[in-house]
């Protein structure tokens, strides 16, 4: 549409008939080889060379260039994909079915973690799309970039809500309680009056 708009603006400024110039532009555009397929659209439509304003060096008979166009388009798409992946520094994901992952969550404030602490298990992988299921049966379907791999959680480390927690060695020790409500013992260190300029001042004289 951009080249077409330029043509219409040009013929309007020059005062030429825009319908005639539009047909001429479309003829030249359709007889030009496409950048992806390498074949002019007119040849794919009519299976023959359409005579236009551009010089043609190969005048042999054209017979079904659709396969050539599809092969050229596939090659061009692969090249574009490799170029885009290289510019974006993309990496291939190594997540597989059976891995345990954390799912990314929306940040509500500055203290919100990037990933939810509820573990999920990958049950299906289709290209860059991951299908994961939690212990309670909840299923999420996200792009692979929304998951983070974790080690397999132990059954005793997962509570009823599926939350992970670390065992604290102090929790296994018996708690000490002050049954007699004794007064806490204070320090018994010896307090001495301050020694200033070689003289000891009584504590009652010091504010």
């Amino acid at each position: 549409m951009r080249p077409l708009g330029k043509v219409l603006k040009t013929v309007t400024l020059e005062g030429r008939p825009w319908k005639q110039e539009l047909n001429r532009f479309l003829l030249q555009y359709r007889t030009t080889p496409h950048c992806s397929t390498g074949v002019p659209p007119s040849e794919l439509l009519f299976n023959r060379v359409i005579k236009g304003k551009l010089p043609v060096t190969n005048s042999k008979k054209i017979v079904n260039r659709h396969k050539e166009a599809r092969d050229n388009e596939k090659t061009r798409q692969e090249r574009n994909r490799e170029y885009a992946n290289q510019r974006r520094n993309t990496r291939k994901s190594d997540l597989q079915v059976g891995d345990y992952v954390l799912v990314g969550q929306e940040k509500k404030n500055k203290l919100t973690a990037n990933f939810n602490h509820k573990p999920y298990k990958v049950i299906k992988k289709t290209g860059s799309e991951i299908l994961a299921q939690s212990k309670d049966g909840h299923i999420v379907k996200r792009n692979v970039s929304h998951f983070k791999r974790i080690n397999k959680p132990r059954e005793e480390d997962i509570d009823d809500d599926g939350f992970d927690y670390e065992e604290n060695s102090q929790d296994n020790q018996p708690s000490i309680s002050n049954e007699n409500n004794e007064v806490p013992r204070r320090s018994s260190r010896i307090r001495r009056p301050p020694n200033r300029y070689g003289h000891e001042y009584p504590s009652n004289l010091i504010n």
Side-chain angles (χ1 to χ4, degrees), residues 167-189:
E167 294 183 356
N168 190 353
S169 59
Q170 297 180 356
D171 295 341
N172 298 328
Q173 299 179 358
S175 59
I176 301 176
S177 60
N178 191 0
E179 297 179 355
N180 299 328
N181 295 328
E182 298 179 356
V183 178
R185 185 175 63 86
R186 299 185 181 275
S187 176
S188 60
R189 67 184 178 88

Side-chain angles (χ1 to χ4, degrees), residues 38-39 46 49 51 56 62 74 90 95 126 128 136 139-140 142 148 191:
V39 181
F46 300 109
V49 178
K51 185 178 180 180
V56 179
I62 302 300
K74 185 177 180 180
T90 58
L95 288 178
T126 305
S128 61
D136 55 2
I139 298 177
V140 294
R142 300 284 189 278
K148 178 181 179 181
R191 298 184 179 182

Side-chain angles (χ1 to χ4, degrees), residues 24 33 36 49 68 121 132 135 150 153 163 165 190 206:
R24 185 177 301 175
S36 297
V49 178
E68 177 185 354
K121 184 177 181 180
K135 184 179 179 181
I150 60 173
F163 298 148
Y165 66 92
I190 300 176
I206 302 176

Side-chain angles (χ1 to χ4, degrees), residues 35-131:
C35 60
S36 297
T37 61
V39 181
S42 59
E43 294 185 12
L44 296 178
L45 180 62
F46 300 109
N47 280 333
R48 64 184 181 89
V49 178
I50 304 299
K51 185 178 180 180
K53 296 296 183 180
L54 297 177
V56 179
T57 57
N58 188 5
S59 59
K60 66 179 182 179
K61 186 178 180 180
I62 302 300
V63 179
N64 196 0
R65 301 187 64 182
H66 292 80
K67 185 179 183 302
E68 177 185 354
R70 285 193 294 266
D71 295 341
N72 293 340
E73 183 181 12
K74 185 177 180 180
T75 304
R76 184 61 180 264
Q77 289 177 352
E78 291 293 336
R79 188 167 61 224
N80 293 342
R81 185 181 298 108
E82 293 177 0
Y83 175 78
N85 293 338
Q86 183 179 3
R87 290 294 301 271
R88 298 171 183 173
N89 297 324
T90 58
R91 294 178 299 174
K92 186 176 181 180
S93 175
D94 55 352
L95 288 178
Q96 301 296 333
V97 176
D99 293 342
Y100 288 86
V101 294
L102 297 179
V103 184
Q105 61 181 354
E106 182 181 359
K107 293 185 70 66
K108 298 181 179 179
N109 50 51
K110 294 183 178 181
L111 301 179
T112 305
N114 295 332
F115 294 90
N116 191 352
H117 51 272
K118 188 176 183 179
Y120 282 76
K121 184 177 181 180
V122 179
I123 59 177
K124 186 178 180 181
K125 180 180 180 181
T126 305
S128 61
E129 192 175 69
I130 296 293
L131 196 67

